[in-house]
Amino acid sequence: MGWNSWDCYGPTVTEAEVKANADYMAANLKKHGWEYVVTDIRWYVENDKAGGYNETDPRYVIDQYGRYQPAVNRFPSAANGNGFKGLADYVHSKGLKYGIHIMRGIPKKAVQEKMPIKGTNGITADMIYSTELQCKWLKDNYTIVADKPGAQEYYNSIIEMYASWGVDFIKIDDLSAPYHEGEINLIRKAIDNCGRKIVLSTSPGETPIAAAAHVSNNANMWRMVDDVWDTWPHITHLMEVSQKWYPYIAPGTWPDCDMIPLGRISVRGERGNDRMTRLTKDEQYTLMSFFTIFKSPLFFGGDLPSNDAFTLSLLTNDEVLTMHREGTDVKQLFQKDGKIAVTSKNAKDGSVYLALINVSDTASQEVAVPLADLGLTGKATITDMWNGSGVSKKGEIVSATLKPHASVLYKLSAK
């Protein structure tokens, strides 16, 4: 659970903005379990821009071993070769954890200048790269050929550097579609040998289900879809794709629904103008209900200091967050005719959780589930988890009549 700078600042976030979001998290969200603060893409470019990327004349910051460094004009504490250590120390001082985003591969600049790879005897960047499968949407890096001498050493060198900075989380982009098993193996080994516990998040795109066993054994979280923005079709596509991933929800390794595009986004974003989320309140409840019952990692994408009271309420409901943390045996009961039902259980107190969703665009619908399908018989107490109110059942059925895009999230306890 944490915050990521992408939805609101794209490739332009500054140290002051990261600190402001860390301050807000420490004051308002930490006690509810939120802890990671993540600086997203292209922190090593001095002159990037909103609304896309500066690929015309980017000014990269890179060290003698072909490793990107934070741009000091955006991250002043990185001066004198300090990297992100100063910013990580600041985040840690708040009782939080610090993360960064990187692109898969090795910088083109390192290849062009034949920079040496740290930890090798004379191997240079131009000896381990390939132009095949280069990222199509951002051309900063080349592919690393996994079996080349020096490939493992390059990943070791960057991960060791991040560990020395105090990084707790690394989101690595362009790994999933297509699936780069070779580079993931290099990364996993580098993290395991760096001497620091670091969460590995693979991104973005629809990770192929054929790679499920590999990714769940090598990453802590992996993206199921491309970027999720604040439009309803993004949410319904996510719920559709998620159907194949329920069997792989497990402690320490989770299918990832992507960032939460709520609150104030695109302050200087990659997509669209500065705005509060375009999702309606019903749609926001639906998103949060689905992300939490599905046990997705929760990374908020909006600018936290800009939150209004409603947005904050979505992030601080302790009943919902207990379900997210303690729910087990997550199952989709059905997804058909514009209706979705998802359930999980709390082994600690025996309660059952149930999300009912109407994904129809036009009609109100009753979404209903027999108590027997939830493993319950006879009497049950039903609570609406978002407002704490009691709910009546209809005989042996639990149901709700829902407007288009609306949902309910229930906790059921046997009497």
Side-chain angles (χ1 to χ4, degrees):
M1 296 168 61
W3 173 81
N4 180 295
S5 63
W6 168 249
D7 283 356
C8 45
Y9 296 110
T12 71
V13 72
T14 67
E15 182 167 356
E17 288 160 342
V18 174
K19 285 183 173 180
N21 278 272
D23 292 345
Y24 182 98
M25 183 179 291
N28 299 283
L29 299 178
K30 178 185 169 186
K31 62 187 175 184
H32 300 283
W34 299 82
E35 59 178 344
Y36 288 90
V37 176
V38 180
T39 299
D40 209 88
I41 198 165
R42 268 192 146 194
W43 38 264
Y44 47 81
V45 176
E46 293 179 333
N47 60 335
D48 222 322
K49 63 174 186 174
Y53 303 100
N54 176 10
E55 294 198 77
T56 304
D57 60 345
R59 296 197 303 270
Y60 300 115
V61 184
I62 196 167
D63 74 1
Q64 69 269 34
Y65 295 113
R67 303 178 298 181
Y68 290 127
Q69 303 294 307
V72 175
N73 64 324
R74 293 167 53 197
F75 300 94
S77 68
N80 302 314
N82 287 326
F84 274 127
K85 188 175 190 316
L87 184 50
D89 286 349
Y90 182 86
V91 172
H92 293 155
S93 76
K94 300 284 181 177
L96 303 171
K97 296 179 180 179
Y98 183 64
I100 60 173
H101 168 291
I102 66 170
M103 296 297 298
R104 167 186 70 85
I106 190 161
K108 287 195 303 183
K109 184 176 176 66
V111 170
Q112 292 159 358
E113 299 185 12
K114 299 183 179 181
M115 293 180 171
I117 295 172
K118 189 176 182 181
T120 68
N121 185 17
I123 297 176
T124 52
D126 57 300
M127 299 179 183
I128 69 167
Y129 88 103
S130 171
T131 58
E132 292 185 15
L133 298 177
Q134 184 184 19
C135 179
K136 294 179 179 179
W137 47 268
L138 187 60
K139 306 291 187 179
D140 292 343
N141 290 3
Y142 289 128
T143 295
I144 290 177
V145 182
D147 59 358
K148 289 276 191 180
Q152 184 66 64
E153 287 82 358
Y154 181 75
Y155 270 116
N156 290 349
S157 76
I158 61 171
I159 301 298
E160 286 169 0
M161 180 178 67
Y162 304 151
S164 74
W165 292 347
V167 168
D168 306 294
F169 178 104
I170 305 175
K171 172 185 172 183
I172 305 186
D173 221 323
D174 195 47
L175 276 175
S176 301
Y179 188 75
H180 293 273
E181 182 172 326
E183 285 195 69
I184 291 172
N185 289 336
L186 298 178
I187 294 161
R188 178 73 267 157
K189 187 174 180 180
I191 291 175
D192 289 344
N193 292 328
C194 78
R196 185 177 183 84
K197 290 184 178 181
I198 297 176
V199 172
L200 172 59
S201 166
T202 69
S203 183
E206 298 195 8
T207 302
I209 194 68
H214 184 267
V215 76
S216 60
N217 281 317
N218 287 279
N220 300 104
M221 50 191 277
W222 63 93
R223 284 274 291 280
M224 297 183 291
V225 295
D226 286 327
D227 290 0
V228 172
W229 283 99
D230 53 331
T231 74
W232 182 245
H234 279 95
I235 311 308
T236 53
H237 176 67
L238 169 65
M239 291 188 284
E240 180 181 341
V241 171
S242 72
Q243 296 182 84
K244 59 192 175 187
W245 288 108
Y246 283 85
Y248 299 96
I249 300 169
T253 181
W254 298 280
D256 178 14
C257 288
D258 192 26
M259 281 169 288
I260 299 168
L262 303 184
R264 184 186 177 196
I265 59 178
S266 283
V267 177
R268 294 190 307 279
E270 183 256 359
R271 198 165 307 185
N273 297 321
D274 188 351
R275 63 187 182 275
M276 294 299 285
T277 186
R278 294 172 293 193
L279 296 173
T280 67
K281 286 189 175 182
D282 279 344
E283 291 167 348
Q284 293 181 60
Y285 276 124
T286 296
L287 182 151
M288 289 300 299
S289 294
F290 182 77
F291 275 48
T292 51
I293 199 167
F294 188 79
K295 293 182 71 72
S296 171
L298 303 180
F299 279 83
F300 189 76
D303 180 59
L304 287 172
S306 301
N307 276 355
D308 57 18
F310 175 72
T311 305
L312 180 59
S313 75
L314 295 173
L315 308 181
T316 55
N317 183 308
D318 287 322
E319 277 286 332
V320 174
L321 295 176
T322 295
M323 174 193 69
H324 176 254
R325 183 173 60 253
E326 298 181 1
T328 60
D329 194 22
V330 184
K331 294 179 181 177
Q332 178 182 275
L333 300 176
F334 54 79
Q335 184 167 164
K336 63 181 181 180
D337 302 325
K339 305 174 184 180
I340 299 175
V342 181
T343 186
S344 66
K345 299 176 181 177
N346 190 318
K348 290 186 177 181
D349 63 12
S351 57
V352 175
Y353 304 111
L354 178 65
L356 303 176
I357 305 169
N358 176 13
V359 296
S360 166
D361 292 328
T362 57
S364 293
Q365 297 194 95
E366 183 182 45
V367 187
V369 174
L371 282 175
D373 290 359
L374 304 174
L376 296 171
T377 57
K379 295 181 179 180
T381 300
I382 307 174
T383 305
D384 184 314
M385 295 174 66
W386 284 114
N387 62 30
S389 63
V391 179
S392 299
K393 61 184 177 69
K394 299 178 180 178
E396 297 301 305
I397 301 289
V398 56
S399 68
T401 299
L402 301 170
K403 295 182 295 183
H405 305 183
S407 61
V408 290
L409 186 61
Y410 291 157
K411 179 179 180 180
L412 297 93
S413 304
K415 287 187 177 179

